[in-house]
Amino acid sequence: RMDPESSTPTCEACTKSYSKYACPRCAARVCSLGCYNAHNGGRCREVFHGEGLRDAMNGLVVDDEGKRTMIEALKRQGYADGVYDFANGGDEGEGESDEDGDAEVEDEDAARCVLSETSLEALSRGEMLDVNALDARELASFRAACARGELVVPWTPWWMEKEAGETRVGASGARAVEEISENVREDLGKGETSTTETSSSIPSPATAAEALEPFDVLSGGKTPPESLRWHCVNALAAYVLVKRIFNGDWTDDEATAASLLLDISSVLGARTAIGGIECATSATHDVVERAARLAPARALLPPPSALPRVISTELSIIFSRGINVIILAFLDLSRVLNSASMSSGGASKPARDAFRAARLKSRYLAAYSISTAAGDPDALDAIARALGALTPP
């Protein structure tokens, strides 16, 4: 269905808004994640997520990394399926006789044991886990436990790691060349490895292809408005929340992560001039309001009352740690937008164009941050203090 005044098709689910996306299964045009979930009676969503889960689990070798990948896939599937009620989980008949309280503890443990003895034995032997070998109740219970977070190791944001503050980047975002001490040089000469290697969860500095242009070049030499610093805060606030939604790893679903980033941030999602983002309060409040309206994001985030505290605290830490951490965050943000814009499946051409525009914005803001830190060494601390003041004592 086409809008009579535009060549843009309208959403086939709500029939009210212009469609920006296409269903990866039936190619139906939809305007949002909510309409994607609702169209076709929800069947496309169920089949699509089911196939993604099956692909993620089939033939998976259950080492530590494999377990993490499997759990993350199951966690997203559990949230996509909605809220489960497994108050009566575990084997039927257990817990009916409780003489001294020990049986109650055993029943609670049994309810949390979401895999059968056969599956647990296979895992203990390091064998492959086949999702098709799980019965319906076992698979559903496993998904629910993942959705409740019982099987997921809580993610520690990379900007909290000590190594993040030790990574040095230059004006282009590439790793800065540092002088190696004589002792380290001697150790390297003996075949010893350097201890300056960073954690794999910390975004890497820019490659030659990702090098940032000087802000003076990007801005044409014009003096940037004061509000631009708060645009940086707004974009990074969305980055912090979407990272949390994906428990730190969005590599399996970068298109969805990019869509959420644009939906949550006015700065990243706007195609025209942005107004109203003039201070720390408005920069963060914009993201809180938008995130609270997104049902899929809301299910994976802290309660709305806690969102302002989470955002202001995380951002205060990022800005207080200095320009290196800020640039790594913008590079990570730019990379997911770039990957989503180059993906041939799922996202429509208008959506991919929006991802490209947001990527250019993120790089512009990164270059601005470098220029600001170089011109005013106290600027980042001032932003951190303004964000910290938003956090209730």
Side-chain angles (χ1 to χ4, degrees):
R1 177 172 169 233
M2 305 291 286
D3 186 275
E5 299 181 358
S6 171
S7 61
T8 304
T10 49
C11 175
E12 296 182 26
C14 68
T15 68
K16 297 178 181 178
S17 303
Y18 294 155
S19 65
K20 297 185 289 183
Y21 314 103
C23 172
R25 290 195 58 79
C26 70
R29 304 293 302 194
V30 292
C31 65
S32 65
L33 186 57
C35 283
Y36 162 71
N37 289 336
H39 89 285
N40 198 18
R43 289 187 293 276
C44 284
R45 177 186 67 85
E46 293 175 2
V47 174
F48 182 73
H49 284 291
E51 290 178 348
L53 173 66
R54 197 159 51 245
D55 291 343
M57 290 186 63
N58 272 331
L60 192 64
V61 178
V62 190
D63 54 12
D64 289 342
E65 180 64 19
K67 290 178 183 177
R68 186 191 65 78
T69 302
M70 176 179 64
I71 288 171
E72 288 301 318
L74 286 168
K75 182 184 178 187
R76 285 192 284 274
Q77 175 66 31
Y79 281 123
D81 288 345
V83 178
Y84 293 86
D85 180 9
F86 282 85
N88 298 319
D91 295 333
E92 294 183 2
E94 291 186 5
E96 294 181 359
S97 61
D98 185 0
E99 298 180 356
D100 57 4
D102 291 340
E104 182 178 348
V105 175
E106 292 175 359
D107 290 342
E108 182 178 348
D109 291 341
R112 291 173 180 268
C113 187
V114 294
L115 289 179
S116 67
E117 290 186 7
T118 301
S119 297
L120 290 173
E121 289 176 0
L123 287 174
S124 67
R125 294 193 297 268
E127 296 180 2
M128 297 166 62
L129 183 65
D130 183 1
V131 66
N132 295 319
L134 303 179
D135 60 43
R137 183 176 182 180
E138 185 179 11
L139 180 57
S141 182
F142 198 8
R143 289 177 178 174
C146 290
R148 293 192 298 265
E150 294 176 3
L151 302 180
V152 180
V153 177
W155 173 60
T156 299
W158 62 263
W159 51 86
M160 301 287 289
E161 298 183 24
K162 178 183 177 184
E163 293 87 347
E166 297 174 348
T167 302
R168 296 289 180 262
V169 297
S172 67
R175 187 182 300 276
V177 178
E178 297 181 3
E179 188 70 25
I180 301 177
S181 69
E182 191 62 34
N183 290 338
V184 173
R185 187 179 290 110
E186 290 178 1
D187 289 339
L188 292 175
K190 297 174 182 176
E192 306 242 353
T193 58
S194 173
T195 58
T196 59
E197 187 174 324
T198 59
S199 167
S200 59
S201 66
I202 299 174
S204 59
T207 63
E210 296 173 322
L212 300 169
E213 292 186 74
F215 182 71
D216 286 345
V217 174
L218 296 175
S219 65
K222 298 179 181 179
T223 301
E226 184 74 12
S227 60
L228 206 54
R229 65 178 58 193
W230 307 118
H231 289 193
C232 293
V233 170
N234 182 268
L236 290 181
Y239 170 79
V240 165
L241 286 190
V242 176
K243 270 293 190 181
R244 283 195 170 277
I245 289 174
F246 283 83
N247 204 37
D249 185 5
W250 51 32
T251 54
D252 291 335
D253 201 354
E254 291 175 317
T256 298
S259 295
L260 283 173
L261 285 164
L262 270 60
D263 287 339
I264 290 175
S265 167
S266 289
V267 169
L268 294 175
R271 301 299 295 269
T272 57
I274 306 160
I277 308 296
E278 302 290 341
C279 63
T281 301
S282 59
T284 56
H285 186 66
D286 170 75
V287 172
V288 170
E289 278 196 332
R290 287 170 170 267
R293 292 198 297 264
L294 295 174
R298 190 167 61 242
L300 298 169
L301 289 171
S305 59
L307 269 180
R309 178 190 293 270
V310 170
I311 291 177
S312 59
T313 300
E314 298 280 9
L315 290 177
S316 178
I317 292 172
I318 289 176
F319 278 90
S320 65
R321 299 209 69 182
I323 189 60
N324 297 294
V325 171
I326 293 171
I327 298 310
L328 293 180
F330 272 123
L331 287 171
D332 197 23
L333 172 60
S334 172
R335 285 164 184 152
V336 70
L337 292 169
N338 185 55
S339 295
S341 71
M342 297 175 66
S343 175
S344 58
S348 64
K349 184 180 184 302
R352 294 197 299 273
D353 289 343
F355 297 153
R356 292 188 188 97
R359 173 181 175 268
L360 292 176
K361 286 182 184 178
S362 67
R363 290 175 59 81
Y364 182 85
L365 294 175
Y368 165 78
S369 299
I370 293 173
S371 175
T372 300
D376 182 3
D378 296 328
L380 301 183
D381 284 338
I383 295 174
R385 289 193 298 270
L387 291 165
L390 300 179
T391 305

